[in-house]
Amino acid sequence: MGEEVKVIGMWASYFSWRVELALKLKGIDYQFIDEDLSNKSHLLLKSNPVHTKIPVLLHNGKPIAESLVILEYIDQTWPDHPILPNHPYDRAIARFWANFVDDKILQTIYKIAMAKCKGEELEHENQELYESLKLLENELKGKEFFGNEEIGYVDIVAFVVAHSFQLMFEVLQLEFITDEKFPVLNKWLEKLRQIDVIKEFLPPKDKHVAHIKTRVEIIKSTFN
């Protein structure tokens, strides 16, 4: 009997994309369960009772929650085509930058996007985002990917955030990763978008933008 791999996620969630992308890069077959987050299923609530959030990986019925935790589990369970480096130091550095994306960059992006929906400007946060992205860009300089020659852990973590919020910032009429300000990150982002497994995996831009516009209007309506 083969392994049973399921992903409880949502088609437009960059956290879900991380899990799916790692599985696809490793060639692991899985079933995707698209969750209605406005009416969470019994399966999700049972599988992640602590946070009741997506994504959840179900491997032979056993649930693993939180995207960064799931990525490490996937890498250890299916070691072919590794996404984390072998050397402990390099692994620690990869974890550092993944946490930097989620704890620093992503949190600042949230603040800026919410402020824009309220009709406010956050000068300090805009500068903070610029400086954080510059630090990330400096880490990438001189390399094809954060994983050096191959797509790795940090590439997966950062790409889905960069791709999704570049679209959201376009909708909000804000600058994000431009060739003028972040040439290295912009080139990396475009390179990843052209890789077949990623190109086939990403939702159509018009569908994704329509979803973002709907979300933005819902958020704006809560402040009126």
Side-chain angles (χ1 to χ4, degrees):
M1 184 177 175
E3 292 183 296
E4 183 185 64
V5 182
K6 298 179 181 179
V7 177
I8 307 173
M10 189 267 183
W11 70 268
S13 165
Y14 40 88
F15 292 120
S16 293
W17 291 355
R18 289 175 176 175
V19 178
E20 289 194 86
L21 186 49
L23 290 171
K24 286 182 179 295
L25 288 168
K26 286 178 173 283
I28 307 301
D29 291 330
Y30 65 93
Q31 177 190 350
F32 181 72
I33 302 168
D34 198 11
E35 186 73 21
D36 179 359
L37 297 179
S38 64
N39 183 25
K40 294 178 180 178
S41 68
H42 173 70
L43 179 63
L44 174 60
L45 299 178
K46 183 178 84 168
S47 301
N48 188 5
V50 175
H51 297 300
T52 68
K53 295 190 303 186
I54 58 163
V56 177
L57 178 75
L58 293 172
H59 183 208
N60 294 329
K62 294 181 179 179
I64 303 98
E66 297 295 302
S67 65
L68 297 185
V69 174
I70 296 170
L71 289 183
E72 295 213 29
Y73 178 86
I74 288 171
D75 208 36
Q76 292 168 10
T77 304
W78 297 282
D80 287 348
H81 308 292
I83 56 176
L84 273 159
N86 288 323
H87 194 281
Y89 176 79
D90 295 332
R91 291 170 78 91
I93 295 301
R95 289 189 184 105
F96 170 85
W97 285 109
N99 286 323
F100 180 79
V101 169
D102 278 6
D103 296 341
K104 186 71 173 174
I105 293 177
L106 194 50
Q107 296 308 312
T108 307
I109 287 171
Y110 284 154
K111 290 176 187 176
I112 292 168
M114 289 299 290
K116 183 66 175 180
C117 288
K118 292 179 186 180
E120 300 172 354
E121 293 293 335
L122 296 177
E123 187 175 334
H124 173 73
E125 282 75 8
N126 284 323
Q127 182 61 28
E128 191 175 287
L129 179 59
Y130 174 83
E131 291 171 0
S132 296
L133 288 173
K134 271 298 177 190
L135 288 171
L136 192 65
E137 177 159 281
N138 288 337
E139 175 64 16
L140 182 60
K141 276 181 181 175
K143 297 186 283 191
E144 282 292 303
F145 304 104
F146 287 100
N148 288 312
E149 299 302 316
E150 302 289 340
I151 299 170
Y153 183 68
V154 180
D155 296 286
I156 294 169
V157 170
F159 170 74
V160 295
V161 171
H163 175 78
S164 189
F165 278 96
Q166 193 168 59
L167 295 181
M168 175 170 271
F169 274 38
E170 283 178 18
V171 170
L172 294 172
Q173 297 182 315
L174 293 169
E175 276 195 351
F176 188 41
I177 295 175
T178 63
D179 192 48
E180 181 184 358
K181 290 185 177 180
F182 306 104
V184 176
L185 280 176
N186 191 61
K187 182 181 177 183
W188 164 83
L189 189 53
E190 291 305 321
K191 187 190 307 173
L192 283 167
R193 285 182 176 133
Q194 296 308 311
I195 293 171
D196 286 343
V197 68
I198 295 177
K199 196 190 301 185
E200 294 164 7
F201 159 76
L202 290 174
K205 183 176 179 179
D206 55 350
K207 179 183 178 183
H208 194 184
V209 168
H211 171 76
I212 291 170
K213 286 180 177 177
T214 300
R215 281 185 60 207
V216 167
E217 289 308 313
I218 291 170
I219 294 168
K220 283 181 176 179
S221 69
T222 64
F223 299 119
N224 294 334

